[in-house]
Amino acid sequence: MALVTFLSDFGDKDYYVPAVKAKMLSINPQLNIIDISHSINPHDVAHAAFILRSSFREFPKGTVHLVGINTVGTMTQGYIGVKLEEHIFVGPNNGILSMLADQDPGILVQFADIHVKDSTFPTRDILAPIAAKVASGAAIHDFGGPLANFRKLMSRQAKATREHIIGHVIRIDRYGNLLTNIRREVFEKLNPGKFNIQFGRETVDKLQNGYDQVEAGDPFAFFNSLDILEIGINHGDAGKLLGLKQDSVVYIHFGG
């Protein structure tokens, strides 16, 4: 199955998304194009990387992922293809594709000049044709050679000691729940059995299994399907109610 996912910050009010899809379908009308999201905050590389990292493994191996975020400007150093965990990514060399896993990709390709044209719309004119052809059976090596300079960005990491973990809010979802960079494996390794989690003016001293384990209006904390700490207020917008936002600090204190 020729499967392509598409992630961008184009929104749904302009011609950009249908134009990119039309370009791919003109090359192979049998392509199955799946939208991951087009509501990424404009130019927000970290937001895009989080969404893609959290979702790409749910697709079949061999899926081609087209990334149309921040494809023009000084941050982007050309256009590349990446093979990671049997998935293929086609996008700009601006750091997004370096944030999808803890390890480096197995294959990195710099697209050759013959496939790169001057364009104010490189997602349609450069990346979409390559994504369509790769999904149809071509290899990313057919479009270039080894990438010498893979632009890397580092996401903020939680700091951990035997006494505490200091993490940060990395996303606030549409319900106002706060997703953090505190990972389950780190917590479980350090947890002596007694702890408290502090976020804003709220403190909880136990983990729940889901959103509805506390009364409406009460705070909760649990490790979600991504194995990261999620905190919030049941039936409430924790971001607004507690004055928390992206990059706000979350503390876990161990012991008495």
Side-chain angles (χ1 to χ4, degrees):
M1 176 175 60
L3 181 62
V4 179
T5 75
F6 185 18
L7 175 71
S8 79
D9 58 359
F10 295 157
D12 59 4
K13 295 182 179 180
D14 296 294
Y15 72 95
Y16 307 127
V17 170
V20 172
K21 290 182 178 181
K23 174 66 74 172
M24 289 191 283
L25 292 171
S26 71
I27 294 170
N28 181 355
Q30 302 304 314
L31 287 177
N32 186 5
I33 304 173
I34 305 296
D35 296 301
I36 291 182
S37 176
H38 301 296
S39 298
I40 301 298
N41 299 327
H43 314 297
D44 192 337
V45 170
H47 185 192
F50 176 78
I51 296 296
L52 191 54
R53 176 175 178 140
S54 301
S55 61
F56 83 85
R57 294 178 182 87
E58 306 297 329
F59 291 94
K61 291 182 178 181
T63 297
V64 176
H65 304 275
L66 172 59
V67 180
I69 308 287
N70 216 23
T71 55
V72 296
T74 57
M75 191 175 182
T76 293
Q77 300 173 354
Y79 306 98
I80 62 176
V82 165
K83 187 173 184 179
L84 173 70
E85 299 179 22
E86 301 303 317
H87 290 254
I88 304 296
F89 300 85
V90 174
N93 186 19
N94 60 14
I96 290 176
L97 301 184
S98 73
M99 301 172 73
L100 302 183
D102 295 333
Q103 73 275 13
D104 286 341
I107 296 175
L108 294 163
V109 174
Q110 175 82 50
F111 294 143
D113 290 345
I114 192 172
H115 301 290
V116 177
K117 61 180 76 173
D118 289 334
S119 171
T120 61
F121 196 176
T123 302
R124 181 194 64 185
D125 298 334
I126 300 170
L127 299 176
I130 294 175
K133 291 172 184 177
V134 172
S136 302
I140 54 173
H141 292 104
D142 296 341
F143 300 94
L147 174 63
N149 182 25
F150 183 39
R151 185 179 177 92
K152 292 186 177 182
L153 296 176
M154 298 295 293
S155 57
R156 184 190 285 272
Q157 301 295 314
K159 297 179 180 179
T161 70
R162 291 183 178 180
E163 290 77 33
H164 58 249
I165 298 174
I166 302 175
H168 294 82
V169 175
I170 56 175
R171 292 307 314 161
I172 301 177
D173 72 13
R174 64 173 299 179
Y175 302 100
N177 300 323
L178 313 173
L179 283 65
T180 78
N181 60 354
I182 299 174
R183 299 186 180 186
R184 183 197 299 269
E185 60 182 338
V186 175
F187 172 82
E188 291 182 346
K189 185 178 296 184
L190 296 173
N191 179 22
K194 189 173 184 180
F195 62 89
N196 65 74
I197 303 171
Q198 179 183 346
F199 48 102
R201 57 181 177 272
E202 294 287 351
T203 301
V204 298
D205 59 7
K206 62 180 179 180
L207 293 172
Q208 309 298 329
N209 295 318
Y211 304 98
D212 60 351
Q213 303 291 303
V214 298
E215 297 293 328
D218 287 345
F220 63 79
F222 63 89
F223 285 95
N224 66 16
S225 61
L226 299 175
D227 282 335
I228 58 176
L229 184 69
E230 182 170 343
I231 55 183
I233 295 176
N234 190 20
H235 287 220
D237 187 323
K240 293 179 179 178
L241 292 172
L242 301 178
L244 298 175
K245 56 187 179 181
Q246 187 169 332
D247 217 36
S248 290
V249 179
V250 176
Y251 299 93
I252 301 180
H253 303 282
F254 296 116

